[in-house]
Amino acid sequence: MTDRRYVIDEMISAKEIAARIEALCREIQTEFKDTDKLVVVGLLRGSFVFIADLVRELDLPIEVDFLEASSYGDGMESSREVRILKDLRGAIEGRDVLLVEDIVDTGHTLHHVTNLLQSRNPARLRTIALLDKPSRREVDMKANWTGFEIPDEFVVGYGIDYAQRNRNLPYIGKVRFP
Ligand code: IMP
């Protein structure tokens, strides 16, 4: 299906994303105002653009680390089985951690990864997702902060891909097969 032609309709503009990130960062700063250092953990690969904008807006002492989990492969359906493909470089025991996800869809990834990080005994673990598709949920999970709730549409752009393409779009668009 990856060679089928599809069109992308803009759903959330770059300007709207930037404004939302500013507001989210004010809340995150309030939550972590007393931190000596916050470890911002990006879930690869979909969160790489979001985390880049987020950390530049955060007025806190931070460190950045990455974790890669398997997700959709090259298709449009979640595999439900979450595997860790790349682990963190640093230890997080006793540290403040902010886990950054691109989309919470079925919730399996967030569930699996938060359990994994929690088992390492961080001081505080909070989660943020740029997008949330609540109607698709299979596991009762919600990020502490969400950028935008969206309907059950397949989206790309701003770091998010369809079969590894379209990550470089500056906005969030929905994929449509005409
Ligand atoms: P979950 O485990 O079903 O919540 O899946 C989360 C992951 O699936 C996200 O981190 C994305 O990588 C991927 N995903 C979910 N929805 C979409 C989408 O609309 N477009 C591209 N990737 C998606």
Side-chain angles (χ1 to χ4, degrees):
M1 293 284 279
T2 54
D3 58 346
R4 253 179 81 178
R5 299 186 99 185
Y6 59 92
V7 291
I8 299 168
D9 300 321
E10 183 171 305
M11 184 191 250
I12 308 169
S13 71
K15 231 176 145 177
E16 287 173 291
I17 297 170
R20 185 70 186 121
I21 288 176
E22 254 190 70
L24 289 166
C25 283
R26 282 197 293 273
E27 294 181 25
I28 296 167
Q29 276 162 208
T30 306
E31 170 83 18
F32 287 108
K33 60 179 180 304
D34 56 342
T35 194
D36 54 342
K37 204 193 281 165
L38 177 65
V39 186
V40 183
V41 173
L43 206 48
L44 292 172
R45 283 172 262 179
S47 74
F48 80 100
V49 176
F50 183 35
I51 195 174
D53 282 347
L54 197 71
V55 295
R56 283 179 295 175
E57 201 56 54
L58 267 185
D59 188 14
L60 289 173
I62 65 145
E63 216 174 86
V64 174
D65 206 340
F66 292 97
L67 191 77
E68 185 172 4
S70 62
S71 63
Y72 275 35
D74 276 351
M76 279 185 156
E77 262 307 304
S78 168
S79 61
R80 290 181 182 81
E81 210 182 287
V82 184
R83 284 175 306 126
I84 300 300
L85 304 178
K86 181 205 168 297
D87 205 341
L88 298 175
R89 287 288 291 272
I92 55 164
E93 186 169 356
R95 314 285 303 274
D96 287 329
V97 177
L98 177 66
L99 175 67
V100 182
E101 231 213 320
D102 56 351
I103 310 181
V104 184
D105 184 45
T106 62
H108 289 287
T109 307
L110 187 64
H111 179 69
H112 185 92
V113 175
T114 42
N115 281 347
L116 174 74
L117 297 184
Q118 204 67 67
S119 73
R120 296 178 184 176
N121 300 314
R124 263 182 296 190
L125 172 64
R126 298 288 181 271
T127 55
I128 181 166
L130 177 67
L131 304 174
D132 188 351
K133 298 188 210 172
S135 64
R136 299 253 317 154
R137 203 68 93 252
E138 293 175 8
V139 186
D140 187 20
M141 284 298 295
K142 195 165 171 56
N144 295 104
W145 294 281
T146 298
F148 304 89
E149 283 198 358
I150 60 168
D152 181 11
E153 301 279 1
F154 196 83
V155 294
V156 291
Y158 198 73
I160 299 164
D161 73 304
Y162 174 29
Q164 301 308 324
R165 297 180 62 183
N166 312 120
R167 291 192 196 272
N168 54 332
L169 283 177
Y171 55 84
I172 300 285
K174 64 177 174 190
V175 170
R176 178 166 56 85
F177 292 93

